[in-house]
Amino acid sequence: ETILVDTRPGTGENALRYGWITLNRPKALNALNDTLMDELGAALLAFDADDGIACIVVTGSEKAFAAGADIAMMQPFDFPNAYRKGLISRNWDTIRQVRKPIIAAVSGFALGGGCEVAMGCDFIIAADNAKFGQPEIKLGIIPGAGGTQRLPRAVGKSKAMDLALTGRMMDAVEAERAGLVSRVVPLADLHAEADKAAQAMCGYSLLALMATKECVNRAYEAPLTEGLLFERRLFHALFSSSDQKEGMGAFLEKRAPHFTHR
Ligand code: CO8
């Protein structure tokens, strides 16, 4: 098994559950191969389709979130092989199809494809031992699963160029300062912090969570005027949900809301 899959309960009455996915190739520092990416993709899509699940956490081991794509797998590839087999694109884009929030809980190395998987999640909570980088340059290649595109959007051009051209790693403090990660926590607290964030989301309206994700992602795809219009349309649309009546009604009645995700 290259990944371990589990579900955990949210807090509160009627709360949804959340999915927990652990990357599990410890001997290779969770190096990503096609089997792992197929299993990860299938698990993400299954949680996305499950009405009882609100969000998903993806994590690795203490030593490595993932130390990149499996170099042993890639070394013999030639262009026709890589192109025909769709190396990377065949199963590496699945994460983009997921409409529910995904948290990356990162400890240890998140390098190359590992950093790219973390960036494909919606936000990153980093342990204080996390190390991020795009070291592909050292192997005679370039990032191939979004590193040259998502990293500059996250940390700006200068730092993205610095990391991808020199292949150096950045620690969790630098990654937080640069905006790649949303927060840094002590290693011992990483899973508890991810649990807390996921549990909070499980208590909210799934419609509103999904609409939030769709709108924020739109900010990276559309000009501002289009993005604002997109947001306004979804904002208006949510007033047709019973969760909006419940959320605002509960606030006014000074009680906890009971969302039904409708
Ligand atoms: N691929 C395959 N095996 C790996 C990888 C990897 N990326 N990373 C580590 N391993 C293996 C090592 O070979 C070693 O195996 P063994 O025990 O059999 O010798 C084991 O994991 C433990 O690793 P180390 O002994 O090297 O551990 P250290 O603590 O000394 O070093 C490092 C940790 C610094 C993380 C080091 O392992 C390293 O530099 N790893 C490679 C990092 C790297 O270059 N990543 C980028 C890969 S390229 C990439 O990701 C392209 C993405 C494009 C999309 C994917 C397309 C398929």
Side-chain angles (χ1 to χ4, degrees), residues 25-34 37 63-64 66-74 77 86-89 91-92 109-116 133-139 141-146 169:
R25 293 188 71 209
K27 285 189 193 129
L29 301 184
N30 291 334
L32 309 167
N33 58 19
D34 271 341
M37 292 308 290
K63 175 140 194 229
D70 191 318
I71 298 168
M73 170 192 77
M74 290 186 292
F77 270 82
L87 177 68
I88 302 171
S89 57
N91 53 10
W92 290 62
F109 299 109
L111 301 177
C115 188
E116 292 170 322
Q134 300 289 161
E136 287 88 342
I137 196 74
K138 296 179 178 176
L139 301 169
I141 57 166
I142 65 171
M169 295 185 213

